[in-house]
Amino acid sequence: MEPLSPKRDDGKVRIERLALADVFLYRPRRLEDRRGFFCETFNQAALETVAGPLDWVQDNQSSSNLRGVLRGLHFQLPPFSQDKLVRCVRGTILDVAVDLRHGSPTFGRHAKALISADGGEQIFVPKGFAHGFLTLDAGCEVLYKVTSYYSAEHDRCIRWNDPALAIEWGVTSEEVILSERDAVAPLLSETPACFVFGG
């Protein structure tokens, strides 16, 4: 696996590092003309040059009817921990990844990016990170690939507005739309050590 430079462009995709190591934007090149565009939305070889070998096993889709829906911050425990490649195919989302790897120099810190259908950006979120997103438009649709099957027994979340995380979502507690589960998620400090940096 090659070191990840701040920006990398192989002619098909551009890969850009975000605020945390191992979390990056994956921007497939679009070929556009008066008809519209063509885009190779996923290329395993291109992604593996920066993320290493990945075995994708499941594709997921979510649809959010309203602006201000927040889904997260979610993760799965080992041995069902997941790498994720997330893209928005309708609307725009604010996507966030939080480092949960104990011993990491960036433990508890986050990276975020705007992901939109118009822009075609995707975000790669590796194992050991919690993931969530906020819809900035009504009718957002999000697709994401994962490297482990869903396991309800291993599914966990942390509080979206945990003060220790200091995530600026741009939405208040009164405005945000949450699931019952996400609304009562534990704080990071209440979450057992699930991932170890370098382990």
Side-chain angles (χ1 to χ4, degrees):
M1 180 168 66
E2 298 178 21
L4 182 60
S5 59
K7 290 185 180 178
R8 175 192 173 99
D9 190 335
D10 70 355
K12 290 185 177 180
V13 300
R14 193 175 103 201
I15 296 173
E16 181 179 340
R17 184 191 299 275
L18 293 178
L20 300 181
D22 305 323
V23 180
F24 55 84
L25 283 184
Y26 176 87
R27 299 178 188 263
R29 186 180 297 275
R30 288 183 172 183
L31 302 175
E32 299 187 53
D33 61 24
R34 61 187 178 85
R35 300 168 298 169
F37 71 84
F38 171 83
C39 181
E40 187 179 273
T41 60
F42 172 73
N43 183 300
Q44 180 111 350
L47 193 60
E48 287 186 350
T49 62
V50 292
L54 297 163
D55 185 16
W56 303 101
V57 299
Q58 183 174 305
D59 284 1
N60 300 323
Q61 179 173 357
S62 75
S63 178
S64 301
N65 297 330
L66 303 172
R67 184 182 189 279
V69 170
L70 197 150
R71 298 176 185 266
L73 296 155
H74 301 153
F75 62 98
Q76 287 195 171
L77 300 175
F80 289 91
S81 52
Q82 299 173 321
D83 301 290
K84 296 180 179 180
L85 183 63
V86 182
R87 65 189 178 111
C88 186
V89 295
R90 184 178 179 196
T92 303
I93 60 171
L94 175 64
D95 202 280
V96 175
V98 177
D99 190 350
L100 301 182
R101 302 169 301 172
H102 283 258
S104 166
T106 58
F107 174 77
R109 289 172 50 191
H110 67 277
K112 62 182 180 178
L114 291 177
I115 307 294
S116 70
D118 288 342
E121 310 89 352
Q122 300 179 41
I123 188 170
F124 176 77
V125 181
K127 295 173 182 174
F129 287 72
H131 171 256
F133 64 85
L134 173 72
T135 63
L136 303 182
D137 298 307
C140 282
E141 292 191 26
V142 176
L143 303 178
Y144 56 101
K145 306 179 82 63
V146 294
T147 55
S148 187
Y149 294 108
Y150 173 72
S151 171
E153 182 182 351
H154 297 82
D155 193 18
R156 298 290 186 275
C157 57
I158 55 176
R159 189 92 47 87
W160 69 281
N161 61 349
D162 182 343
L165 303 181
I167 301 170
E168 294 183 11
W169 291 97
V171 66
T172 67
S173 298
E174 291 74 28
E175 297 168 330
V176 72
I177 302 167
L178 300 165
S179 69
E180 291 182 11
R181 171 196 176 214
D182 288 347
V184 297
L187 302 173
L188 179 61
S189 62
E190 300 168 332
T191 303
C194 308
F195 304 98
V196 177
F197 181 66

